[in-house]
Amino acid sequence: MQRHLTPLDHFIINADRSLNTLFGETRTSDRAYPAADKTSDTLSESEQQHAAGLMRINHAGEVAAQGLYQGQALTAKLPEVRQQMEHAAAEENDHLDWCNRRLQELQSHTSHLSPLWYSGSFALGALAGLAGDKWSLGFVAETEKQVVKHLEGHFTSLPEEDQRSLAILQQMQADESQHAQAAVEAGGAELPWPVRKLMGLTSEIMTRTAYKW
Ligand SMILES: [Fe+2]
Ligand SMILES: [Fe+2]
């Protein structure tokens, strides 16, 4: 029998997840590392730095995704919605782990501003959850759509030889596209244009900042 979780239980679960996202080992699924059978060993130093900048952006995006999903899970009303958010958040753990691993391979680091990306997104997610499930799901759908588009840009911006990063981003894109579709099918409404625009601008700022920091 499933135990009923109180708001305090949810709070503690979320706090634990937040700490794991920021400081700990992430709990991943048993999917294989997409880069495992790819090579990228001919990168020049500047190419390696550029690839690391891009992967740092994607890692920051995944930290933000964790914040969004976990914030929403805290305030979403319908149990199915909450469950769906948590399922997607679990899949994002793989992405977080893969980006982290690739950054280590590129001898680089994750964004120093991760706590900021996480807390800002957590607040946004919680707000979206409070706005009601159709908006909350619409917010997920729009976020994921924007990420799919953003990843498309990285496919061409990555150094051509960096097949390892590419394999990771391709798998991530396939997952994000599924998350978007699932959110629409679950009843996500299309967000008003100003909100979509604002979301785009926010991720633009994050993208520019996380490339370096
Ligand atoms: Fe993701
Ligand atoms: Fe996603």
Side-chain angles (χ1 to χ4, degrees):
M1 201 181 85
Q2 222 179 357
R3 193 169 84 86
H4 176 72
L5 296 177
T6 65
L8 181 66
D9 290 327
H10 282 294
F11 178 78
I12 292 170
I13 292 169
N14 267 287
D16 175 58
R17 284 192 188 139
S18 309
L19 292 171
N20 268 310
T21 300
L22 292 173
F23 306 111
E25 293 281 307
T26 49
R27 278 163 298 201
T28 53
S29 75
D30 49 6
R31 290 196 291 176
Y33 184 42
D37 58 349
K38 299 285 187 288
T39 51
S40 300
D41 40 17
T42 56
L43 296 177
S44 69
E45 208 183 309
S46 64
E47 285 174 329
Q48 189 173 328
Q49 264 177 22
H50 176 58
L54 298 182
M55 292 312 281
R56 185 159 37 251
I57 293 172
N58 293 315
H59 183 271
E62 293 302 330
V63 168
Q66 293 286 326
L68 280 179
Y69 279 116
Q70 289 163 17
Q72 272 175 326
L74 192 70
T75 56
K77 289 169 194 72
L78 294 172
E80 311 90 71
V81 172
R82 177 174 280 160
Q83 211 169 40
Q84 199 191 345
M85 304 286 175
E86 288 181 351
H87 174 74
E91 286 197 358
E92 306 294 4
N93 269 343
D94 288 343
H95 301 171
L96 194 66
D97 178 57
W98 297 339
C99 289
N100 194 12
R101 237 169 118 170
R102 184 63 192 136
L103 275 168
Q104 283 175 12
E105 290 171 3
L106 291 163
Q107 289 164 352
S108 195
H109 59 88
T110 58
S111 173
H112 299 308
L113 299 172
S114 292
L116 182 69
W117 310 137
Y118 183 83
S119 47
S121 306
F122 188 94
L124 277 178
L127 272 178
L130 285 176
D133 291 322
K134 81 172 189 182
W135 296 117
S136 169
L137 287 165
F139 187 63
V140 170
E142 180 58 28
T143 304
E144 299 285 12
K145 277 183 210 160
Q146 291 192 11
V147 174
V148 166
K149 246 208 220 146
H150 151 88
L151 286 170
E152 198 105 355
H154 278 198
F155 292 167
T156 45
S157 179
L158 268 178
E160 216 173 302
E161 293 76 28
D162 193 357
Q163 294 298 314
R164 289 179 78 80
S165 300
L166 183 67
I168 295 169
L169 298 189
Q170 282 171 335
Q171 183 57 55
M172 277 167 55
Q173 197 199 37
D175 294 345
E176 313 300 19
S177 160
Q178 257 177 20
H179 297 163
Q181 206 187 329
V184 170
E185 280 166 12
E190 183 166 18
L191 301 182
W193 180 83
V195 178
R196 281 184 276 147
K197 190 75 193 162
L198 190 69
M199 287 166 72
L201 285 173
T202 312
S203 63
E204 179 89 23
I205 293 171
M206 200 177 91
T207 300
R208 283 169 192 261
T209 315
Y211 182 80
K212 281 199 172 163
W213 296 295

